[in-house]
Amino acid sequence: MQVDELTEPERVLWEAFPRGEPVDLSGGDDDFDSTNAWGPDRTVRAEVISALLLGAQDNEPGHVAAVRLTGARITGTLNLGHAHVNVPLALTACQLTDAPHLYWAQLRSVHFMRCRLPGLVASGARIDGHLWLEGSHIYGGVWLDSCRITGILNLTGAHLSHPTGDAPLLADRLIVDNNVYCDQGFTVEGEVRLPGAQVGGQLIFRGARLRNPKGQALYASRLSVSANVFCDGGFSAEGEIRLRGARIGGYLSLVGATVSHPGRTALNCDDLSIETDIYCSDGFRADGAVSLSGARVGGLLSLRGGRMKNPSGVALSLQRLQAEEVLLRPAEPIAGAVDMRYARIKLLRDDPLSWAPRYTLDGLTYDTIDPPLTAGQRLKWLDRDTDGYVPQPYERLADTYRTLGHDAERRAVLLAKQRRRRTTQTIPPRVWGYIQDWTVGYGYRPFLAGAWLVALLAFGTVIFQHHPAITEPGHNTRFNPFLYTLDLLLPVGSLGQEGEFAPAGVYLWIADALVTAGFLLGLTVAAGATRVLSRD
């Protein structure tokens, strides 16, 4: 490029480059919609900038060369594909007519701050420094797939869109060694793609607004973040937030966030692995399913003060979740089902006032539950299980009461388990179940057996005030109505009364009824004792 071919603003930039001096062509006007403000005195050809970055102008000793340009209209394509650029590029409040091409280039820090450009293609690029897109409006898509950034990626306040339907931000397998900022007014119309991306610091979407109601607002499966992820501070998303299989070295904050994908999955954290905590709390709202199936949480999963609804299906899935603690105390009852099948939780903390109408609890295990409540209250929780009778949730709750030393509550739960089981049986075992329940409470209410025995003894003692006929005259056994009744009731052994006296008429029927009652009472006591001893 010949120097004498340069326009006046290009010549100014050319001369400022060796010393890295800034060039401001804005005159204080950043109004991109003012067509009269972007005349020839503010226009620079992209090829001039490319030539400078690629060594057309020598560096001045003692200075760091750089392109630092403000308020310019840049025409043509800034094409640095496969180039090696050793100086920084900083464009501020510039308007670009074409998308810069930085694919597979090796660059120093690249800044497009408060710029307007129809896209940015940086697939496979390596940037030894920062990529700064703060406050820029990019309406043709940002391609950062397989890009490597050793510094910071800053998209704070950026507005991204892609009217053709492709993802406005495509960053598959992106690697950033430090923080990624997508906060403070970061707005996207379409899908943000970060599958397989690696972030060496924090990923910050604080206050961001993502909108893609027909699909994924944030697609970040297999994302790896070394520190924390912030989707809070007014964060909102229309469309699915997909973090399936992601790994987070710190905590995930969705405090006060709003995610919406009605009738479908709004937040997908299936198989997520997180070092510490997840906060879907303090104003968190989800219109659509929240799924943490198979997630591994090293600390706390907090749903305190959140609101979740998916009335036609599962609103919250904790299936196969592993967590140290789950704080399941939303601001109001979850509108929809809660799936907790095969979750493993050390401390489960909930609140009866915010229980969901439907649960699936088979395989759920927990070491401690807070508050433990009474058995009657906790059984109302188990009654909401949509799977019907499943023994494991009753066994788990009973074991918890045993650990706490609440033996009466434990027996009440196990009795309720047998009664619920009875509703699933055919008529013969169901009848036998009723007999066991009425007589000994399936072995968990042994005092009932004593009550029945006392009642039958009292009945027989009164009825047999006049002793039956002696079976063999000449015997001098003295009749005792109490001992005679007891002898009838005992299914084994003899007290010497039953064999000596023979009732007749209605008394024979009564005696036979007492023998039958004693036999049944003995069987139920034995069955109940066997059941209790086998559990203990």
Side-chain angles (χ1 to χ4, degrees), residues 144-176:
L144 299 177
D145 49 308
S146 301
C147 181
R148 173 71 182 269
I149 301 170
T150 63
I152 291 171
L153 171 59
N154 189 349
L155 286 152
T156 296
H159 295 251
L160 309 183
S161 62
H162 203 173
T164 63
D166 295 332
L169 178 56
L170 191 151
D172 302 34
R173 302 173 302 282
L174 167 71
I175 300 175
V176 180

Tab-separated table of all heavy atoms in Angstrom, residues 144-176:
chain	number	residue	atom	x	y	z
A	144	LEU	N	-16.873	-17.977	17.542
A	144	LEU	CA	-15.676	-18.190	18.364
A	144	LEU	C	-15.416	-19.675	18.563
A	144	LEU	O	-14.740	-20.062	19.523
A	144	LEU	CB	-15.850	-17.506	19.728
A	144	LEU	CG	-16.057	-15.985	19.727
A	144	LEU	CD1	-16.297	-15.482	21.144
A	144	LEU	CD2	-14.862	-15.281	19.111
A	145	ASP	N	-15.937	-20.517	17.693
A	145	ASP	CA	-15.746	-21.953	17.861
A	145	ASP	C	-14.265	-22.313	17.731
A	145	ASP	O	-13.559	-21.843	16.845
A	145	ASP	CB	-16.579	-22.727	16.844
A	145	ASP	CG	-16.421	-22.228	15.427
A	145	ASP	OD1	-16.589	-21.018	15.205
A	145	ASP	OD2	-16.116	-23.047	14.537
A	146	SER	N	-13.793	-23.140	18.668
A	146	SER	CA	-12.401	-23.602	18.723
A	146	SER	C	-11.408	-22.463	18.881
A	146	SER	O	-10.218	-22.611	18.603
A	146	SER	CB	-12.044	-24.432	17.486
A	146	SER	OG	-12.886	-25.555	17.371
A	147	CYS	N	-11.880	-21.319	19.349
A	147	CYS	CA	-11.010	-20.168	19.591
A	147	CYS	C	-10.312	-20.330	20.945
A	147	CYS	O	-10.868	-20.911	21.872
A	147	CYS	CB	-11.838	-18.893	19.556
A	147	CYS	SG	-10.916	-17.376	19.798
A	148	ARG	N	-9.077	-19.800	21.047
A	148	ARG	CA	-8.327	-19.849	22.308
A	148	ARG	C	-7.973	-18.424	22.719
A	148	ARG	O	-7.332	-17.689	21.951
A	148	ARG	CB	-7.055	-20.685	22.148
A	148	ARG	CG	-6.119	-20.650	23.356
A	148	ARG	CD	-6.696	-21.420	24.530
A	148	ARG	NE	-5.854	-21.368	25.705
A	148	ARG	CZ	-4.888	-22.256	25.994
A	148	ARG	NH1	-4.638	-23.243	25.133
A	148	ARG	NH2	-4.184	-22.174	27.091
A	149	ILE	N	-8.414	-18.026	23.930
A	149	ILE	CA	-8.165	-16.684	24.445
A	149	ILE	C	-7.420	-16.832	25.762
A	149	ILE	O	-7.936	-17.440	26.708
A	149	ILE	CB	-9.485	-15.920	24.659
A	149	ILE	CG1	-10.259	-15.809	23.336
A	149	ILE	CG2	-9.220	-14.527	25.232
A	149	ILE	CD1	-11.672	-15.291	23.484
A	150	THR	N	-6.216	-16.294	25.848
A	150	THR	CA	-5.420	-16.461	27.067
A	150	THR	C	-5.797	-15.458	28.147
A	150	THR	O	-5.427	-15.632	29.304
A	150	THR	CB	-3.923	-16.340	26.760
A	150	THR	OG1	-3.652	-15.013	26.272
A	150	THR	CG2	-3.486	-17.351	25.718
A	151	GLY	N	-6.514	-14.405	27.769
A	151	GLY	CA	-6.923	-13.404	28.737
A	151	GLY	C	-8.395	-13.510	29.066
A	151	GLY	O	-8.894	-14.575	29.435
A	152	ILE	N	-9.101	-12.402	28.934
A	152	ILE	CA	-10.518	-12.294	29.279
A	152	ILE	C	-11.353	-12.169	28.014
A	152	ILE	O	-10.947	-11.509	27.055
A	152	ILE	CB	-10.754	-11.063	30.185
A	152	ILE	CG1	-10.132	-11.289	31.572
A	152	ILE	CG2	-12.238	-10.742	30.323
A	152	ILE	CD1	-10.128	-10.050	32.438
A	153	LEU	N	-12.526	-12.800	28.027
A	153	LEU	CA	-13.532	-12.558	26.995
A	153	LEU	C	-14.601	-11.680	27.640
A	153	LEU	O	-15.268	-12.091	28.589
A	153	LEU	CB	-14.145	-13.863	26.501
A	153	LEU	CG	-15.362	-13.724	25.561
A	153	LEU	CD1	-15.014	-12.925	24.308
A	153	LEU	CD2	-15.926	-15.097	25.195
A	154	ASN	N	-14.749	-10.466	27.102
A	154	ASN	CA	-15.671	-9.504	27.707
A	154	ASN	C	-16.765	-9.147	26.710
A	154	ASN	O	-16.509	-8.517	25.683
A	154	ASN	CB	-14.916	-8.252	28.133
A	154	ASN	CG	-15.787	-7.309	28.955
A	154	ASN	OD1	-16.999	-7.483	29.053
A	154	ASN	ND2	-15.169	-6.312	29.564
A	155	LEU	N	-17.994	-9.570	27.031
A	155	LEU	CA	-19.173	-9.240	26.232
A	155	LEU	C	-20.157	-8.406	27.051
A	155	LEU	O	-21.350	-8.371	26.758
A	155	LEU	CB	-19.856	-10.529	25.758
A	155	LEU	CG	-19.135	-11.278	24.634
A	155	LEU	CD1	-19.436	-12.757	24.690
A	155	LEU	CD2	-19.519	-10.711	23.278
A	156	THR	N	-19.656	-7.729	28.061
A	156	THR	CA	-20.510	-6.918	28.919
A	156	THR	C	-21.296	-5.896	28.100
A	156	THR	O	-20.726	-5.142	27.306
A	156	THR	CB	-19.650	-6.186	29.967
A	156	THR	OG1	-19.037	-7.150	30.814
A	156	THR	CG2	-20.503	-5.250	30.803
A	157	GLY	N	-22.611	-5.882	28.284
A	157	GLY	CA	-23.457	-4.906	27.616
A	157	GLY	C	-23.599	-5.086	26.123
A	157	GLY	O	-24.205	-4.242	25.453
A	158	ALA	N	-23.072	-6.169	25.569
A	158	ALA	CA	-23.167	-6.393	24.124
A	158	ALA	C	-24.576	-6.830	23.744
A	158	ALA	O	-25.286	-7.455	24.540
A	158	ALA	CB	-22.149	-7.437	23.688
A	159	HIS	N	-24.986	-6.489	22.516
A	159	HIS	CA	-26.275	-6.902	21.962
A	159	HIS	C	-25.998	-7.756	20.729
A	159	HIS	O	-25.405	-7.261	19.759
A	159	HIS	CB	-27.126	-5.690	21.587
A	159	HIS	CG	-27.535	-4.859	22.751
A	159	HIS	ND1	-28.834	-4.811	23.220
A	159	HIS	CD2	-26.824	-4.055	23.572
A	159	HIS	CE1	-28.904	-4.008	24.263
A	159	HIS	NE2	-27.690	-3.524	24.492
A	160	LEU	N	-26.428	-9.011	20.781
A	160	LEU	CA	-26.155	-9.935	19.686
A	160	LEU	C	-27.464	-10.409	19.073
A	160	LEU	O	-28.420	-10.718	19.787
A	160	LEU	CB	-25.366	-11.152	20.180
A	160	LEU	CG	-24.092	-10.901	20.999
A	160	LEU	CD1	-23.421	-12.222	21.338
A	160	LEU	CD2	-23.131	-9.979	20.264
A	161	SER	N	-27.466	-10.500	17.750
A	161	SER	CA	-28.621	-11.055	17.046
A	161	SER	C	-28.131	-11.608	15.725
A	161	SER	O	-27.021	-11.301	15.270
A	161	SER	CB	-29.700	-9.978	16.812
A	161	SER	OG	-29.192	-8.935	15.999
A	162	HIS	N	-28.965	-12.449	15.121
A	162	HIS	CA	-28.625	-13.023	13.822
A	162	HIS	C	-29.930	-13.294	13.085
A	162	HIS	O	-30.515	-14.372	13.220
A	162	HIS	CB	-27.813	-14.298	13.980
A	162	HIS	CG	-27.001	-14.633	12.772
A	162	HIS	ND1	-26.093	-15.662	12.742
A	162	HIS	CD2	-26.944	-14.059	11.543
A	162	HIS	CE1	-25.523	-15.722	11.547
A	162	HIS	NE2	-26.022	-14.755	10.802
A	163	PRO	N	-30.403	-12.334	12.322
A	163	PRO	CA	-31.730	-12.461	11.698
A	163	PRO	C	-31.883	-13.675	10.798
A	163	PRO	O	-33.003	-14.134	10.571
A	163	PRO	CB	-31.853	-11.154	10.901
A	163	PRO	CG	-30.932	-10.196	11.584
A	163	PRO	CD	-29.787	-11.027	12.064
A	164	THR	N	-30.786	-14.233	10.278
A	164	THR	CA	-30.910	-15.385	9.379
A	164	THR	C	-31.261	-16.659	10.119
A	164	THR	O	-31.580	-17.665	9.499
A	164	THR	CB	-29.597	-15.608	8.610
A	164	THR	OG1	-28.550	-15.920	9.543
A	164	THR	CG2	-29.223	-14.368	7.812
A	165	GLY	N	-31.191	-16.650	11.450
A	165	GLY	CA	-31.600	-17.821	12.217
A	165	GLY	C	-30.469	-18.609	12.818
A	165	GLY	O	-30.682	-19.468	13.665
A	166	ASP	N	-29.212	-18.348	12.429
A	166	ASP	CA	-28.086	-19.034	13.041
A	166	ASP	C	-27.848	-18.483	14.449
A	166	ASP	O	-28.359	-17.427	14.819
A	166	ASP	CB	-26.823	-18.858	12.195
A	166	ASP	CG	-26.954	-19.536	10.831
A	166	ASP	OD1	-27.706	-20.519	10.759
A	166	ASP	OD2	-26.324	-19.055	9.866
A	167	ALA	N	-27.033	-19.184	15.230
A	167	ALA	CA	-26.775	-18.755	16.597
A	167	ALA	C	-26.023	-17.426	16.590
A	167	ALA	O	-24.979	-17.305	15.947
A	167	ALA	CB	-25.960	-19.814	17.334
A	168	PRO	N	-26.512	-16.414	17.318
A	168	PRO	CA	-25.790	-15.145	17.399
A	168	PRO	C	-24.415	-15.277	18.041
A	168	PRO	O	-23.522	-14.496	17.739
A	168	PRO	CB	-26.715	-14.263	18.243
A	168	PRO	CG	-28.065	-14.879	18.104
A	168	PRO	CD	-27.816	-16.351	17.989
A	169	LEU	N	-24.270	-16.243	18.961
A	169	LEU	CA	-22.963	-16.500	19.567
A	169	LEU	C	-22.678	-17.988	19.468
A	169	LEU	O	-23.313	-18.801	20.133
A	169	LEU	CB	-22.933	-16.059	21.039
A	169	LEU	CG	-21.620	-16.335	21.787
A	169	LEU	CD1	-20.434	-15.691	21.080
A	169	LEU	CD2	-21.704	-15.859	23.229
A	170	LEU	N	-21.739	-18.334	18.608
A	170	LEU	CA	-21.370	-19.728	18.398
A	170	LEU	C	-19.952	-19.906	18.922
A	170	LEU	O	-18.995	-19.429	18.312
A	170	LEU	CB	-21.454	-20.078	16.914
A	170	LEU	CG	-21.342	-21.553	16.536
A	170	LEU	CD1	-22.108	-21.845	15.249
A	170	LEU	CD2	-19.879	-21.992	16.363
A	171	ALA	N	-19.849	-20.563	20.099
A	171	ALA	CA	-18.551	-20.691	20.762
A	171	ALA	C	-18.303	-22.140	21.185
A	171	ALA	O	-17.829	-22.396	22.293
A	171	ALA	CB	-18.478	-19.754	21.955
A	172	ASP	N	-18.614	-23.076	20.298
A	172	ASP	CA	-18.344	-24.478	20.585
A	172	ASP	C	-16.839	-24.677	20.797
A	172	ASP	O	-16.019	-24.201	20.020
A	172	ASP	CB	-18.798	-25.361	19.419
A	172	ASP	CG	-20.273	-25.214	19.107
A	172	ASP	OD1	-20.802	-24.113	19.266
A	172	ASP	OD2	-20.889	-26.200	18.669
A	173	ARG	N	-16.497	-25.371	21.885
A	173	ARG	CA	-15.106	-25.727	22.198
A	173	ARG	C	-14.204	-24.506	22.385
A	173	ARG	O	-12.984	-24.591	22.260
A	173	ARG	CB	-14.518	-26.652	21.115
A	173	ARG	CG	-15.307	-27.945	20.923
A	173	ARG	CD	-14.790	-28.737	19.753
A	173	ARG	NE	-14.831	-27.965	18.508
A	173	ARG	CZ	-15.928	-27.751	17.798
A	173	ARG	NH1	-17.091	-28.263	18.196
A	173	ARG	NH2	-15.878	-27.033	16.695
A	174	LEU	N	-14.784	-23.377	22.704
A	174	LEU	CA	-14.023	-22.178	23.043
A	174	LEU	C	-13.198	-22.439	24.304
A	174	LEU	O	-13.667	-23.089	25.246
A	174	LEU	CB	-14.994	-21.017	23.290
A	174	LEU	CG	-14.430	-19.758	23.955
A	174	LEU	CD1	-13.515	-19.011	22.989
A	174	LEU	CD2	-15.553	-18.857	24.440
A	175	ILE	N	-11.975	-21.906	24.339
A	175	ILE	CA	-11.127	-22.002	25.530
A	175	ILE	C	-10.735	-20.586	25.947
A	175	ILE	O	-10.150	-19.836	25.155
A	175	ILE	CB	-9.861	-22.843	25.269
A	175	ILE	CG1	-10.238	-24.272	24.855
A	175	ILE	CG2	-8.973	-22.867	26.508
A	175	ILE	CD1	-9.040	-25.128	24.470
A	176	VAL	N	-11.094	-20.226	27.177
A	176	VAL	CA	-10.721	-18.928	27.739
A	176	VAL	C	-9.990	-19.197	29.052
A	176	VAL	O	-10.536	-19.834	29.948
A	176	VAL	CB	-11.956	-18.040	27.987
A	176	VAL	CG1	-11.533	-16.693	28.568
A	176	VAL	CG2	-12.734	-17.830	26.692
